[in-house]
Amino acid sequence: MDACFSTQLIDGDGVFNVSGLEHFMKEVRLGECGLSYAVVSIMGPQSSGKSTLLNHLFGTNFREMDAFRGRSQTTKGIWLAKAQNIEPCTLVMDLEGTDGRERGEDDTAFEKQSALFALAVSDIVLINMWCHDIGREQAANKPLLKTVFQVMMRLFSPRKTTLLFVIRDKSRTPLENLEPILREDIQKIWDSVPKPHAHKETPLSEFFDVQVVALSSYEEKEELFKQQVSDLRDRFQHSIAPGGLAGDRRGVVPASGFSFSSQQFWKVIKENKDLDLPAHKVMVATVRCEEIGNEKVASFTANEEWQQFEEAVQHDYCPGFGKKISSLLDRCLSEYDMEAIYFDEGVRSSKRQQLESKLLQLVNPAYQSLMGHLRTKTLEAFKESFDKALEKEGFAAAARDCTQTFLEKFDKGSEDAAIQQVNWDTSKVKDKLKRDIEAHVASVRATKLSEVCAKYEAQLTKALAEPVEALLDSASEDTWPAIRKLLERETKAAVIGLESAVTSFDLDEATEKELLMKLEKHGKSVVESKAKEEAGRVLIRMKDRFSTLFSRDADSMPRVWTGKEDIKAITKTARSASMKLLSTMAAIRLEEDGDNIENTLSLALVDAGRPGTTDRSIQLSDPLASSSWERVPEEKTLITPVQCKNLWRQFKAETEYTVTQAIAAQEANKRNNNWLPPPWALAAMAILGFNEFMTLLRNPLYLLVIFVVYLVGKAIWVQSEIGREFQHGFLPAILSLSTKFVPTIMNILKRLADEGQRPAAGPERQREMELQPKSTGNGSSFSNVTSAGSSSVTTSEIGPEYSSPVAQ
């Protein structure tokens, strides 16, 4: 029986033999090994004796090439077998040879996949190579190793693997001279492989243990070859022990999981597209063209002219940017074409496109910054030009002309910044510029329209406020019609002015109509605001109107209550006028809809107390017991019926005193005018005093004495203010006069004595004394006293004591 259990693990088409692997593991009882097993694989050129070496080294039975039939492919895919008489359990994998003519020059994907698979699952990898291939590029598997190293670092977590280079058919060159060359080549491959960031500085020794062994020719020195193989076989005994050939065992999976792990490795490797590399010449072209491209990118980046442009466009717009950058790019690409002209055309073109793409990626930020500066600069210039254009022409024409002009300037700037190697779309930047221009135009339009509207609103306010206030102050039946007429006239004039002013803005019909309606509403709001303001002062207006009509006559002269005036009629007239004022201020009447506010107030306030009122409905119900007027909307009501009733009550209370004072003054005037006694008393006095009258005629001296007594009495009356004292009552007057009588007599006598001692004054002195104000104080003459008394009496009879409050 076959004790090696040779099994094809992966066929030549890359299909993984899952069932075969499961059967192999069952036969060799691999699951019982735990971690005590090792995996050895071999790779190398086709027909280099790999299978022969494995069969002699591990006792396997891999198919070997029959040299007598010619040199051809023997092993296809990857084969797996168990090593004989080696502990621990060692699995041996024989890989399909590389560089075989059967697969051809371009089909190298499988050999790279199989090599990567061997490195991923093996503890020891034998690299079989001919001695005379050392120092060569392809025959030494350098490109293969480079690709496998690169992909392995990226696909799997690397573990330390032993790379055992087996030099076949050793020549006369000592191994000590061959080994350094081989190690140096491996180190160069490792250094050239792109690594992940975490392993950029990691040495080769961290991941691979490189060892070299040489074997003599199997055909020429068979016995020596077998002896050397036997010595090498001893090194594989206990290979997983510390210090053994297997080396590091990090990441090793238990033997029971070998099947699943191998399948997953192969799946990841098959799905990785980086292993589908082109043939040798294509690969060389790829590597070299990429290096040239990287050099040109570095050269372009270090170019002083480019650096100056790159820095300049960060701050401002640079004219000539497109032409100069296009020249730099063209020079860089031309240099690439000259250096890469002899490489594969497809690779050269592809890498040139990549180079151009990289260069344009470098240039693009500067280009975008340049376009941003161009947009900003164009927008600022537009704003400045637009402001100046508004001073010369209409808004719409200025906006249209300036927008067109500066969009054309932007297009010219875009053409100047354009790069020949690429056609970058500037429509988004231009669209943003258009939006910015439109936003600025809209903002200026809104500001200008606001200023124009505010101007005409101010004019309308000025034209309405004071006239409306004057009309409401002189409230009458024609007040609201006059206000409506005034509002219509001034609003029409303002609307015509505004309509003419906004013509240059080229507004749509709806917007223009909205502005005109807003102005009309403003006019109404001014009238309503003024009406509400005046309604808050209606009580003061009512009292002023009542006072004017009650205290002044038709000629606007203060009334003197002589007793002939009809106070009741005057009061009613004044109150009716105040009531009309109240009815006028009760509601806003900007429409001609009729209302019955005046009739309601007249019936409820003025006519309610008339003796002739017989309407029982009026007596039984209060028309003012409501919070709204009939046929008057709530928003048009200034003073509700209930508020009118309260205002009228307060108005009557505050004007009642004026009426009472007028009545009192009228009665006092009547009493003062009735100073003559009745006719019968006059007749009795004439009959009974006839003798005394005749006596006075016969003795004129009595008349002089009576006249002197009259003057003295008049002086005492004035000095003692007897009339004012008796206004406080009879008893208080008697008590007050009893204390003032003697001092008053003494004061009069003293003045007479002082007057008699003064020298006679000339005519001028007498005229001066006559012109002095008459007073009752010390130093006045007896004639002054009497004159003052006479004047006081006269003033008392017709003066403020009996005049109206307004006269006072």
Side-chain angles (χ1 to χ4, degrees):
M1 295 180 60
D2 183 8
C4 299
F5 305 104
S6 297
T7 303
Q8 189 178 33
L9 184 63
I10 300 172
D11 63 17
D13 296 327
V15 179
F16 196 96
N17 187 6
V18 179
S19 60
L21 179 59
E22 295 291 341
H23 179 72
F24 173 84
M25 292 179 62
K26 184 177 180 181
E27 291 293 330
V28 300
R29 298 180 180 180
L30 184 62
E32 299 174 3
C33 296
L35 298 177
S36 297
Y37 74 100
V39 181
V40 180
S41 60
I42 188 168
M43 65 176 67
Q46 180 178 301
S47 303
S48 61
K50 299 189 299 300
S51 299
T52 301
L53 175 62
L54 293 178
N55 290 337
H56 283 85
L57 187 59
F58 299 107
T60 56
N61 58 354
F62 294 120
R63 181 184 175 190
E64 298 180 8
M65 182 188 73
D66 187 357
F68 295 98
R69 294 185 178 181
R71 308 186 68 84
S72 61
Q73 186 182 53
T74 304
T75 304
K76 293 184 179 181
I78 301 176
W79 286 76
L80 179 66
K82 180 180 180 296
Q84 296 292 316
N85 301 321
I86 293 181
E87 295 294 335
C89 179
T90 301
L91 305 181
V92 182
M93 289 195 306
D94 188 10
L95 276 64
E96 178 180 322
T98 61
D99 199 21
R101 71 179 182 83
E102 284 79 3
R103 288 192 179 270
E105 181 183 17
D106 296 329
D107 189 7
T108 60
F110 182 78
E111 64 185 43
K112 293 174 177 62
Q113 292 173 348
S114 60
L116 180 59
F117 179 76
L119 284 173
V121 301
S122 301
D123 301 300
I124 304 169
V125 179
L126 303 178
I127 301 177
N128 194 53
M129 59 188 302
W130 299 107
C131 180
H132 52 75
D133 287 337
I134 296 177
R136 297 179 180 178
E137 186 70 24
Q138 294 295 320
N141 287 325
K142 289 181 181 179
L144 176 62
L145 287 177
K146 180 177 181 179
T147 302
V148 171
F149 283 177
Q150 177 180 348
V151 179
M152 184 177 179
M153 294 287 291
R154 182 162 51 85
L155 293 183
F156 308 109
S157 299
R159 61 182 180 135
K160 194 167 185 178
T161 304
T162 299
L163 297 180
L164 180 59
F165 287 83
V166 181
I167 302 175
R168 303 290 297 274
D169 294 353
K170 180 179 176 297
S171 62
R172 295 179 181 179
T173 305
L175 180 62
E176 293 78 11
N177 294 337
L178 295 175
E179 185 175 349
I181 298 174
L182 191 59
R183 288 183 179 274
E184 182 180 359
D185 291 341
I186 297 301
Q187 185 65 44
K188 287 181 179 180
I189 293 173
W190 175 259
D191 293 338
S192 65
V193 170
K195 305 176 186 65
H197 182 74
H199 300 294
K200 282 187 177 297
E201 304 299 329
T202 305
L204 174 67
S205 60
E206 286 290 325
F207 296 105
F208 297 99
D209 181 16
V210 180
Q211 297 188 26
V212 182
V213 65
L215 299 176
S216 298
S217 173
Y218 174 69
E219 296 179 354
E220 297 177 1
K221 302 177 181 180
E222 182 177 356
E223 293 300 326
L224 181 60
F225 171 80
K226 290 181 179 179
Q227 180 61 40
Q228 292 172 343
V229 169
S230 178
D231 295 339
L232 179 61
R233 176 186 176 87
D234 293 338
R235 297 179 62 181
F236 284 91
Q237 294 289 345
H238 305 288
S239 60
I240 64 173
L245 190 60
D248 184 18
R249 297 280 290 170
R250 291 178 300 173
V252 64
V253 297
S256 60
F258 178 78
S259 176
F260 178 78
S261 175
S262 300
Q263 294 176 45
Q264 293 302 313
F265 276 132
W266 185 248
K267 181 180 179 181
V268 172
I269 291 171
K270 287 288 288 182
E271 291 176 354
N272 184 63
K273 302 302 182 182
D274 291 350
L275 294 173
D276 296 331
L277 300 177
H280 174 64
K281 64 178 182 179
V282 176
M283 182 179 65
V284 172
T286 301
V287 174
R288 185 57 188 143
C289 289
E290 187 172 349
E291 291 177 352
I292 296 172
N294 293 334
E295 292 174 0
K296 298 311 167 187
V297 171
S299 174
F300 181 84
T301 306
N303 187 281
E304 292 184 1
E305 290 183 274
W306 158 246
Q307 291 177 352
Q308 292 175 359
F309 269 100
E310 186 179 24
E311 183 178 358
V313 296
Q314 301 301 323
H315 305 91
D316 198 4
Y317 176 78
C318 298
F321 175 86
K323 185 176 181 180
K324 190 64 180 177
I325 298 301
S326 297
S327 175
L328 293 177
L329 292 174
D330 188 62
R331 185 195 311 168
C332 186
L333 294 173
S334 299
E335 293 175 356
Y336 169 85
D337 292 337
M338 291 179 63
E339 295 186 29
I341 189 172
Y342 297 108
F343 292 100
D344 183 80
E345 182 179 357
V347 176
R348 184 176 72 244
S349 300
S350 174
K351 294 302 179 180
R352 188 183 194 279
Q353 292 178 359
Q354 293 180 12
L355 171 61
E356 186 175 358
S357 177
K358 290 180 180 179
L359 293 175
L360 292 176
Q361 287 179 2
L362 287 173
V363 173
N364 185 261
Y367 177 79
Q368 296 299 334
S369 178
L370 181 77
M371 296 304 296
H373 289 306
L374 176 61
R375 180 185 61 80
T376 303
K377 188 175 181 180
T378 305
L379 180 61
E380 294 299 326
F382 168 82
K383 292 179 180 179
E384 183 178 354
S385 177
F386 183 54
D387 292 339
K388 294 180 180 179
L390 288 177
E391 299 175 358
K392 302 177 182 178
E393 53 184 328
F395 184 91
R400 184 171 55 254
D401 295 343
C402 289
T403 300
Q404 182 178 358
T405 300
F406 283 92
L407 286 179
E408 292 175 355
K409 288 185 178 180
F410 177 82
D411 291 337
K412 292 181 180 178
S414 300
E415 293 176 1
D416 181 71
I419 297 174
Q420 297 176 1
Q421 288 77 10
V422 66
N423 184 22
W424 278 324
D425 186 14
T426 61
S427 60
K428 292 184 178 179
V429 182
K430 186 175 181 179
D431 290 342
K432 190 174 189 319
L433 175 62
K434 286 182 180 179
R435 292 194 298 271
D436 292 342
I437 290 176
E438 290 172 357
H440 179 71
V441 170
S443 175
V444 175
R445 178 189 290 109
T447 302
K448 295 294 183 182
L449 284 176
S450 178
E451 292 176 356
V452 172
C453 291
K455 173 185 175 182
Y456 283 95
E457 286 178 0
Q459 291 180 1
L460 187 57
T461 300
K462 184 177 181 181
L464 291 176
E466 294 183 358
V468 169
E469 182 177 356
L471 289 171
L472 291 175
D473 186 30
S474 59
S476 63
E477 296 179 354
D478 298 330
T479 296
W480 283 108
I483 291 176
R484 288 195 295 269
K485 187 176 181 180
L486 173 67
L487 175 62
E488 182 180 1
R489 183 179 68 249
E490 297 298 336
T491 301
K492 184 176 180 181
V495 165
I496 292 174
L498 178 60
E499 189 174 11
S500 175
V502 300
T503 302
S504 62
F505 288 89
D506 197 16
L507 301 176
D508 57 273
E509 184 177 354
T511 304
E512 183 176 349
K513 185 177 180 181
E514 182 180 356
L515 293 177
L516 299 179
M517 290 181 63
K518 183 180 178 182
L519 183 60
E520 293 177 357
K521 289 181 180 179
H522 176 75
K524 290 183 179 180
S525 67
V526 170
V527 174
E528 292 175 356
S529 176
K530 186 57 66 175
K532 291 177 182 178
E533 182 182 342
E534 293 300 315
R537 298 197 293 263
V538 66
L539 182 60
I540 298 174
R541 300 290 191 191
M542 290 169 64
K543 291 191 294 184
D544 289 345
R545 177 165 293 192
F546 176 84
S547 178
T548 300
L549 296 177
F550 185 79
S551 301
R552 295 181 178 273
D553 56 17
D555 297 328
S556 298
M557 298 297 293
R559 293 184 188 274
V560 179
W561 304 104
T562 60
K564 299 178 181 180
E565 295 81 7
D566 187 354
I567 294 179
K568 185 175 181 180
I570 296 173
T571 302
K572 181 179 180 181
T573 302
R575 285 180 176 174
S576 297
S578 299
M579 184 275 297
K580 288 184 178 181
L581 174 62
L582 179 61
S583 67
T584 301
M585 300 301 302
I588 298 174
R589 300 176 178 87
L590 292 181
E591 287 77 21
E592 296 184 2
D593 299 337
D595 57 67
N596 57 353
I597 295 178
E598 184 174 355
N599 294 335
T600 302
L601 290 178
S602 179
L603 292 174
L605 302 178
V606 179
D607 298 337
R610 292 179 58 184
T613 303
T614 57
D615 191 347
R616 298 182 61 85
S617 62
I618 296 178
Q619 294 176 359
L620 295 177
S621 63
D622 187 357
L624 298 182
S626 175
S627 60
S628 61
W629 299 103
E630 184 180 357
R631 292 184 295 175
V632 178
E634 182 179 355
E635 61 273 11
K636 299 297 183 181
T637 302
L638 297 176
I639 307 173
T640 63
V642 175
Q643 292 173 340
C644 286
K645 186 175 182 179
N646 294 334
L647 286 170
W648 187 258
R649 185 184 298 112
Q650 186 177 355
F651 165 74
K652 289 185 66 177
E654 294 183 11
T655 57
E656 195 69 32
Y657 178 75
T658 303
V659 178
T660 304
Q661 286 292 95
I663 294 173
Q666 192 178 56
E667 291 179 354
N669 201 352
K670 288 180 180 180
R671 288 196 302 270
N672 292 336
N673 290 336
N674 294 334
W675 56 276
L676 294 176
W680 62 268
L682 293 175
M685 290 173 61
I687 296 172
L688 296 177
F690 180 77
N691 294 332
E692 288 75 5
F693 180 70
M694 295 303 297
T695 301
L696 290 174
L697 291 177
R698 295 188 185 98
N699 298 295
L701 185 59
Y702 288 157
L703 292 174
L704 179 61
V705 173
I706 292 173
F707 180 69
V708 172
V709 171
Y710 170 75
L711 293 178
V712 173
K714 185 67 175 179
I716 294 173
W717 180 281
V718 173
Q719 285 288 323
S720 301
E721 299 180 342
I722 295 176
R724 182 176 298 177
E725 294 293 343
F726 274 95
Q727 289 181 358
H728 301 293
F730 180 78
L731 184 58
I734 295 299
L735 295 176
S736 177
L737 291 175
S738 63
T739 59
K740 294 167 61 176
F741 181 75
V742 175
T744 300
I745 296 297
M746 297 303 296
N747 189 20
I748 292 173
L749 294 177
K750 184 178 180 182
R751 290 180 182 177
L752 291 174
D754 292 340
E755 193 70 24
Q757 293 177 0
R758 291 181 182 178
E764 294 181 0
R765 174 64 177 172
Q766 291 180 358
R767 189 179 301 106
E768 182 179 354
M769 291 180 65
E770 290 176 358
L771 293 175
Q772 289 181 354
K774 296 177 176 58
S775 174
T776 58
N778 294 334
S780 299
S781 63
F782 183 75
S783 61
N784 290 341
V785 173
T786 56
S787 300
S790 175
S791 176
S792 177
V793 171
T794 305
T795 305
S796 176
E797 291 178 354
I798 63 173
E801 185 176 356
Y802 303 106
S803 64
S804 68
V806 175
Q808 292 179 3

